[in-house]
Amino acid sequence: MFKKYFIPHEHNDHQPHFLRFKTIGSIVGTVLAIELLFLAEIFVFSSYRDFFAAILPDVLVDYTNRSRANQSYGSLKRSAVLDEAARMKAEDMAKKGYFAHTSPENITPWHWFREVGYDFSYAGENLAVNFFDSDAAFNAWMNSPSHRANILNNNFSEIGIATAEGVYKGRPSVFVVQLFGKPARNALSAAGAGGSAIPVAETAVKETHSPKKTVPQPEPKIVVESVPKSPEQELFVAVKSATADGSENVEMFGQSQNKSSPALPQSSLSEKVFSSPNKIINVLYGILLAMILLALLLKVFIKMHIRHPVLVTNGVLAFSVISGLLIFNRELIISLGSVF
């Protein structure tokens, strides 16, 4: 079979079947059908967006912990509380049609932490929108220095991710919110060891409290300690200091700790596969390109004196079409998706 389709010899009239019009036409037709289905999933099928939004959080948690493990950092524990805060933020963006750390009403990310009772020593937020491939969304974060700094920040111990569907810039979109946190109870260990209270980042904020009293605590005051050089460099990382007497108010931590305890499932292999349609297509197209290139090389270098330029033209055209689709898909994913 290999000899028939790839190697020119007497029995196939020195015309490998793989480069003949019938085979090449079938390959190109199949590739175009796959491409149309891929584009339909992105722009037409809302059911796929529902499925993608449902499986994406588990996959992104796994990708995050895998990247941290590669840097010898500890894994982040999936927090049901942070999941809820992320859900509230994602739904707020989806409902109001904005994509930013701070809402049009000037609500900062820390509002959602307080809404779910998560008292933090460190907290961070990564955002993404208009991605329909988990690999593309995570790679966009990792290719951004500020978002990568959040993912690989060793001050964090917990993570929460949620998605919401809405409309952004006039088209249906999936909003993704990735939250990081470290409950306040653990803050003193770093400070007592002489470490810096504020993590290295373009943006850092500090919460201050009065000494603990029997009366209810006032709303924490957020003080901006450094300003990002540009909106693209904005990194939302926060730190809360100890109280004036050297102790910490951990009442809210106790609540969040109880809520965070349930173990949430990790992503399955099928979820990773179906959340990365572009990756699957890239692998398939790559295999076809390798086969076409192999057939062309064998045709050119075996019995070079017997020429069939039509076969070579067929192979080159098919190679060009598939290569062009690979480039088109990559640029499409990049142009549609945004991170902040």
Side-chain angles (χ1 to χ4, degrees), residues 215-286:
V215 297
Q217 292 288 337
E219 181 77 7
K221 181 182 180 182
I222 303 295
V223 180
V224 177
E225 299 216 340
S226 63
V227 180
K229 297 178 182 179
S230 69
E232 291 77 12
Q233 293 176 308
E234 187 174 24
L235 174 64
F236 269 79
V237 177
V239 57
K240 186 187 71 176
S241 68
T243 56
D245 62 359
S247 63
E248 282 204 61
N249 179 3
V250 296
E251 292 177 354
M252 293 178 68
F253 165 79
Q255 297 171 10
S256 65
Q257 179 70 9
N258 291 335
K259 296 177 185 176
S260 300
S261 56
L264 299 179
Q266 293 184 328
S267 64
S268 64
L269 177 61
S270 61
E271 287 178 332
K272 291 178 180 177
V273 170
F274 287 110
S275 68
S276 300
N278 190 51
K279 184 176 183 179
I280 298 173
I281 290 177
N282 287 345
V283 171
L284 175 60
Y285 288 2

Side-chain angles (χ1 to χ4, degrees), residues 10-52:
E10 294 82 2
H11 297 292
N12 61 14
D13 196 25
H14 302 286
Q15 301 181 57
H17 285 247
F18 191 82
L19 294 176
R20 295 187 182 186
F21 180 80
K22 181 178 180 180
T23 304
I24 289 294
S26 298
I27 291 174
V28 172
T30 301
V31 166
L32 292 177
I34 293 173
E35 186 70 16
L36 288 175
L37 180 61
F38 172 65
L39 295 177
E41 286 179 343
I42 294 178
F43 295 107
V44 180
F45 297 153
S46 60
S47 59
Y48 177 76
R49 284 193 293 272
D50 295 340
F51 177 69
F52 177 79

Side-chain angles (χ1 to χ4, degrees), residues 142-218:
M142 292 299 287
N143 290 332
S144 164
S146 59
H147 296 87
R148 178 185 175 91
N150 260 348
I151 291 172
L152 300 180
N153 191 326
N154 208 27
N155 290 311
F156 297 137
S157 60
E158 297 182 342
I159 186 174
I161 299 182
T163 63
E165 292 184 65
V167 176
Y168 180 63
K169 292 185 176 180
R171 62 182 302 266
S173 305
V174 175
F175 295 83
V176 185
V177 177
Q178 182 183 49
L179 297 182
F180 306 90
K182 181 177 182 180
R185 178 182 294 175
N186 299 324
L188 285 179
S189 59
S196 173
I198 301 177
V200 178
E202 281 92 349
T203 300
V205 297
K206 185 175 183 180
E207 287 189 276
T208 56
H209 291 270
S210 302
K212 186 176 179 181
K213 301 177 182 179
T214 55
V215 297
Q217 292 288 337

